[in-house]
Amino acid sequence: MSSDFHVKDLGLANEGRRRIEWAESDMPVLRQIRERFAKERPLKGLRVSACLHVTTETANLMRTLQAGGADVVLCASNPLSTQDTVAASLVAHDEIPVFAVRGEDNATYFSHLNRALDHQPHITMDDGADLVSELHKHRSNLIENVLGGTEETTTGIIRLRAMAADGALRFPVVAVNDSMTKHLFDNRYGTGQSTIDGIIRATNLLIAGRTVVVAGYGWCSRGIAMRAKGLGAHVVVTEIDPVKALEAVMDGFQVMPMVDAARVGDIFVTATGDINVIDTHHMERMKNGAVICNSGHFNVEINLPGLADMSTGEIVQVNEHTQGYVMPDGRTLYVLGEGRLINLAAAAGHPASVMDMSFANQALGAEFVLRNQGQLENKVYTIPEEVDREIARLKLEAMGVKFDTLTDEQVNYLNQWQEGT
Ligand code: ADE
């Protein structure tokens, strides 16, 4: 076992291993990739530095890359999302150096990113682009070794596209989130279920009959709105994009500006990727007892410093995940998970079944970068559509679902233009 790691307690390793195996049993596509990787060793000698949520599902990705011959290190992509049992198991059972302790402060978080970069990666693997950003800002001497990277999430891809547009991005990156087998499933069904799970674990509130305000109507917010509705909530959606707002209306949700939603909401969830989506003037209007949380990548969507300033300073610590801010007018507003990703802060993140496809894209994305080294530009790439479709096909096969194929006659019909009315 390497002595270079920082986890909470290696004594948690056996529990971590059992949890990792439980997740693995619901990750059939990644399992198949791992079996192929073990035979072909396509990543032999490749150093990978990964900055991902340290969960049971991520552990299975790390073990897949390792089976492919990669030399992997892992750090957390969020201070509150690490599962300490998993971190311990990867170190103790898989000899994978991990730098992640749940609840680490910001300085430790960044020191962990740097410990992962000390590995001198050929490939970076990110969830939110903090690793790539740190590499470009403070460790640019390491960039000459880097063949490319992969990025998991919408927020990270927005940052990377901004870097590419500025001419600042110095290696190619595969946008895993852009794969259909990622965002249509992980963002929608994964975030939908795990966000509601986080809210319920933190509060045990009954969702039925309550007004849930969902900020944004991207794939993540759609999932949250859909699942809240399924539990009997009145769902209000806020949006800035007219097309998405219209979709939300036609999906049966009430759409209104946040200033109006603020007055009627019982539970607020943000998933927009933007800053101060719930701001002080919204919180001024909220009802006593309103619950506010975030499921977007960064903890900037709720103006927490503003909330602290407008409160009396008295905090009611209801439980590990729920803090009440007492207002001068006597109201208390409750914030969950310190405004960080509620699905990982208070629950276990997305279920393995959807991470199976996301991480199949990560593993194949790393292989894509390696296979195409020297041929890619310093920009953001999407995984080839055939690979994306193959992941969906493997998933259906594992689920025992059969589906149709076109007949020759149908192929010919689609390829001609003469036949019409
Ligand atoms: N992001 C959301 N859920 C996750 C999970 N279970 N593992 C890794 N990253 C995640």
Side-chain angles (χ1 to χ4, degrees):
M1 186 171 72
S2 155
S3 58
D4 193 24
F5 61 85
H6 184 201
V7 301
K8 183 168 182 211
D9 175 4
L10 284 182
L12 301 171
N14 288 345
E15 182 185 344
R17 170 47 64 102
R18 290 191 295 274
R19 289 172 180 264
I20 292 166
E21 284 171 357
W22 172 255
E24 186 190 14
S25 67
D26 212 8
M27 302 182 86
V29 179
L30 194 63
R31 246 186 355 253
Q32 283 198 41
I33 294 172
R34 184 167 160 197
E35 282 158 19
R36 174 172 72 78
F37 274 14
K39 278 196 213 111
E40 297 176 5
R41 307 277 288 169
L43 311 181
K44 195 161 187 304
L46 197 74
R47 289 192 300 273
V48 178
S49 298
C51 174
L52 299 168
H53 301 297
V54 180
T55 65
T56 53
E57 293 75 22
T58 299
N60 283 302
L61 172 62
M62 295 300 104
R63 296 169 78 209
T64 302
L65 300 173
Q66 191 181 49
D71 177 5
V72 197
V73 303
L74 174 66
C75 66
S77 60
N78 186 298
L80 266 193
S81 63
T82 297
Q83 296 168 4
D84 290 316
T85 57
V86 170
S89 176
L90 284 172
V91 172
H93 299 300
D94 299 294
E95 308 232 336
I96 294 179
V98 179
F99 305 97
V101 177
R102 187 183 178 83
E104 62 198 22
D105 60 21
N106 263 15
T108 311
Y109 175 77
F110 279 98
S111 84
H112 284 164
L113 287 182
N114 278 285
R115 302 274 293 273
L117 289 175
D118 289 343
H119 191 51
Q120 305 190 5
H122 299 117
I123 292 206
T124 62
M125 205 166 259
D126 240 328
D127 188 333
D130 276 350
L131 197 67
V132 169
S133 165
E134 186 69 10
L135 184 58
H136 280 72
K137 284 200 293 212
H138 301 123
R139 304 291 299 274
S140 59
N141 58 314
L142 298 175
I143 291 181
E144 62 183 12
N145 290 323
V146 180
L147 305 175
T150 62
E151 168 53 53
E152 172 81 2
T153 197
T154 321
T155 295
I157 290 167
I158 291 170
R159 287 177 90 186
L160 291 164
R161 291 222 158 94
M163 283 176 81
D166 261 358
L169 185 65
R170 290 182 49 199
F171 49 78
V173 182
V174 172
V176 166
N177 192 69
D178 287 359
S179 296
M180 291 178 288
T181 48
K182 201 281 185 180
H183 63 263
L184 292 177
F185 303 92
D186 166 319
N187 300 28
R188 180 168 33 177
Y189 304 110
T191 311
Q193 178 168 318
S194 61
T195 298
I196 301 292
D197 185 13
I199 295 169
I200 293 174
R201 289 201 210 190
T203 64
N204 200 24
L205 283 175
L206 185 73
I207 306 294
R210 286 206 154 85
T211 298
V212 174
V213 177
V214 181
Y217 206 59
W219 289 111
C220 293
S221 333
R222 273 163 218 239
I224 300 166
M226 174 170 68
R227 293 301 177 238
K229 182 178 176 178
L231 285 173
H234 306 290
V235 178
V236 171
V237 170
T238 69
E239 245 304 335
I240 48 86
D241 177 326
V243 176
K244 289 185 180 153
L246 188 56
E247 282 184 279
V249 170
M250 299 225 178
D251 285 345
F253 301 115
Q254 238 186 315
V255 174
M256 63 181 79
M258 185 58 89
V259 276
D260 298 330
R263 288 196 192 283
V264 297
D266 299 304
I267 299 172
F268 295 80
V269 194
T270 55
T272 69
D274 215 334
I275 192 165
N276 293 343
V277 174
I278 295 186
D279 212 337
T280 47
H281 64 287
H282 302 127
M283 294 184 280
E284 289 289 6
R285 290 174 165 76
M286 286 181 187
K287 299 188 227 177
N288 179 33
V291 168
I292 312 166
C293 66
N294 166 51
S295 213
H297 187 80
F298 288 119
N299 59 336
V300 295
E301 304 208 15
I302 305 163
N303 185 353
L304 283 182
L307 176 60
D309 282 350
M310 67 199 263
S311 74
T312 59
E314 187 191 340
I315 300 278
V316 183
Q317 188 74 44
V318 179
N319 58 40
E320 186 193 348
H321 305 298
T322 310
Q323 288 188 320
Y325 287 73
V326 180
M327 298 291 134
D329 60 10
R331 289 173 307 143
T332 304
L333 303 182
Y334 295 92
V335 175
L336 308 185
E338 300 169 23
R340 297 192 189 274
L341 287 156
I342 187 61
N343 60 337
L344 283 143
H350 302 352
S353 178
V354 288
M355 294 315 294
D356 186 26
M357 291 185 282
S358 309
F359 286 166
N361 277 284
Q362 283 282 8
L364 299 181
E367 194 181 25
F368 173 84
V369 169
L370 185 62
R371 288 221 167 120
N372 291 285
Q373 65 176 292
Q375 291 165 50
L376 302 174
E377 293 169 45
N378 296 343
K379 60 179 201 183
V380 177
Y381 284 85
T382 301
I383 282 192
E385 197 180 319
E386 350 33 294
V387 177
D388 201 357
R389 289 189 177 279
E390 177 63 8
I391 292 171
R393 203 189 58 71
L394 290 173
K395 188 72 177 174
L396 285 167
E397 192 176 280
M399 295 166 89
V401 177
K402 295 194 170 62
F403 63 108
D404 283 327
T405 46
L406 294 171
T407 62
D408 289 345
E409 181 191 31
Q410 288 170 329
V411 172
N412 288 339
Y413 179 81
L414 292 176
N415 285 332
Q416 60 81 43
W417 53 269
Q418 288 93 341
E419 217 173 301
T421 309

